[in-house]
Amino acid sequence: MQIRRKQKIDKYIGYLLIAILLPVTRLLGITMFRDHSTEKPPRRILFIKLMGIGSLIVASDAIAAIRRKFPETRLVLLTDANIAAAIRPFGIFDEIHISHTDNLWSTATTMIRFFLRSWTWRRLWVVDLEVYSKLTTVLALLTLARNRFGFFLPPVPFRKYLNTHNISFDQSAFLGFNYQTMAGALTGDSRPTVPWKERRSRESSRPYIVLNNTCSGLAAVRRLPDPVFAAVCQWILEHTFYRVALLGGPGDREPIEHFITHTPILASQKERMLNVAGMTDSFAAYYNFLRESGVMLVSIDSGPLHIARKLGLPTISVWGPTDPANYLDIPASEKQRHLF
């Protein structure tokens, strides 16, 4: 329900601001009479991402390439509280500003405060990391940044007139490929990338095979049916000496506990099952558990899959109805570490 509420807020605020700002922008010539070249490095680059930690993790290689090109530039993120907490431990951004998107009033007040601050920033560039959002495109415009980079695709044609630099989005390609194309538009390089993956030693000595069957409400159909997920857990318990850890957020803790205790084949081995949902008090502790205690991750198409890959864990992912080719790009040297 919370995600649907955010989508409605995005939709209605986006349409309202478009109706107001598009004619004003054209009248005043905000985007017509300024120098939009990228030869002079920016002092700040603001990235906007309001939904989806997984796609932000996918974009991190491209963001690292931008960092390498502009080492003196401050990288700033505008996002919601959950994504802010999840991405902060990775140290990708110098500043993170939170937009409270729970309701219309909180969204408006936090945005007004943010714009008053952003208008004092000189040589500011803005990168809209959302693919379909109308709201984030308008937010980028309201910063009055000299250069505004965003994806352009037929479902959101108005962006062509609000962005100063439009990057064509290839819906059939790997998502990271599109982010690399965007990074190329900023840096002048052809789809730059900086691999950023941790390497672990003594991998097989970790105690847990970690499983994830949780995802956002945007596409809950990605989840495995409980009997199938229970069969995966049972196979691990019967054929390996590892314990099983089940991932989830605080809201998933009770359903996961119910799943364990009301599935006879799992309840009988409950001492080898660990419900990690809501167990850690921070994302840093959550990541540390994955890195230090997880042998590998078995997951559906969800944010923990991309997080685990960044932390260096081998993965097995189960897909449907989405196409793994749109979200996974596995180097030849890691083909056996990331099966799908």
Side-chain angles (χ1 to χ4, degrees):
M1 291 295 293
Q2 185 178 18
I3 293 174
R4 290 178 181 174
R5 192 181 302 117
K6 288 183 180 181
Q7 289 177 312
K8 286 183 179 179
I9 291 173
D10 182 305
K11 177 181 178 181
Y12 293 131
I13 294 180
Y15 277 129
L16 176 62
L17 293 179
I18 291 165
I20 296 172
L21 292 171
L22 188 55
V24 172
T25 300
R26 289 201 166 196
L27 179 65
L28 298 179
I30 291 175
T31 62
M32 292 182 179
F33 304 112
R34 300 175 75 185
D35 177 14
H36 301 296
S37 67
T38 58
E39 295 179 0
K40 193 172 185 179
R43 292 182 181 175
R44 285 182 177 85
I45 299 177
L46 169 66
F47 297 85
I48 302 178
K49 191 75 173 75
L50 297 184
M51 290 191 295
I53 180 60
S55 54
L56 184 55
I57 292 291
V58 171
S60 61
D61 282 349
I63 296 171
I66 295 171
R67 166 80 73 185
R68 182 177 63 176
K69 178 68 175 182
F70 303 117
E72 303 301 321
T73 298
R74 291 188 66 79
L75 302 188
V76 183
L77 176 66
L78 176 64
T79 190
D80 78 352
N82 289 331
I83 296 177
I87 201 66
R88 187 173 283 112
F90 288 105
I92 301 172
F93 300 97
D94 299 302
E95 302 175 32
I96 298 179
H97 296 265
I98 296 174
S99 169
H100 297 286
T101 55
D102 293 335
N103 60 66
L104 183 61
W105 176 250
S106 62
T107 301
T109 54
T110 56
M111 285 295 93
I112 289 172
R113 287 196 297 267
F114 177 77
F115 291 132
L116 290 174
R117 182 171 183 178
S118 70
W119 291 340
T120 66
W121 293 341
R122 296 294 176 262
R123 299 213 317 261
L124 171 66
W125 294 2
V126 176
V127 177
D128 181 3
L129 293 174
E130 295 288 1
V131 178
Y132 296 101
S133 172
K134 299 175 179 64
L135 174 60
T136 54
T137 307
V138 177
L139 295 180
L141 175 67
L142 287 173
T143 65
L144 304 183
R146 182 175 297 275
N147 290 328
R148 300 181 301 278
F149 301 81
F151 290 121
F152 172 73
L153 64 170
V156 278
F158 76 95
R159 285 180 168 181
K160 183 176 182 180
Y161 306 102
L162 299 188
N163 295 325
T164 61
H165 296 74
N166 289 292
I167 292 87
S168 179
F169 187 85
D170 186 349
Q171 292 175 287
S172 65
F174 167 54
L175 179 61
F177 175 91
N178 288 287
Y179 286 131
Q180 291 164 18
T181 301
M182 178 177 276
L186 274 78
T187 64
D189 299 333
S190 177
R191 284 192 290 273
T193 182
V194 176
W196 180 51
K197 297 178 179 66
E198 295 190 19
R199 295 292 182 183
R200 306 186 307 161
S201 59
R202 299 187 301 108
E203 202 158 57
S204 62
S205 65
R206 270 66 173 180
Y208 291 98
I209 291 180
V210 186
L211 277 71
N212 172 61
N213 194 34
T214 63
C215 60
S216 71
L218 288 172
V221 71
R222 290 174 290 175
R223 293 182 67 249
L224 290 172
D226 281 352
V228 176
F229 190 55
V232 174
C233 296
Q234 181 185 17
W235 191 97
I236 294 171
L237 293 172
E238 290 181 353
H239 292 83
T240 79
F241 55 84
Y242 292 108
R243 287 176 278 174
V244 171
L246 302 183
L247 294 182
D252 300 309
R253 184 164 186 81
E254 186 174 335
I256 290 176
E257 199 64 32
H258 183 274
F259 168 74
I260 295 172
T261 57
H262 288 76
T263 305
I265 57 176
L266 303 183
S268 62
Q269 298 198 60
K270 190 175 180 180
E271 70 281 355
R272 293 179 63 196
M273 305 282 296
L274 176 65
N275 182 0
V276 185
M279 185 182 73
T280 55
D281 58 359
S282 68
F283 275 97
Y286 173 86
Y287 298 157
N288 187 65
F289 173 83
L290 283 176
R291 184 191 299 110
E292 301 302 327
S293 300
V295 177
M296 60 173 295
L297 174 75
V298 181
S299 177
I300 58 172
D301 165 28
S302 186
L305 170 64
H306 306 289
I307 290 169
R309 290 190 62 201
K310 283 296 178 187
L311 296 174
L313 274 72
T315 65
I316 295 177
S317 52
V318 183
W319 295 76
T322 45
D323 184 351
N326 293 142
Y327 295 94
L328 290 179
D329 182 33
I330 303 172
S333 61
E334 296 191 348
K335 290 292 184 183
Q336 298 306 311
R337 289 180 62 81
H338 302 291
L339 307 179
F340 59 91

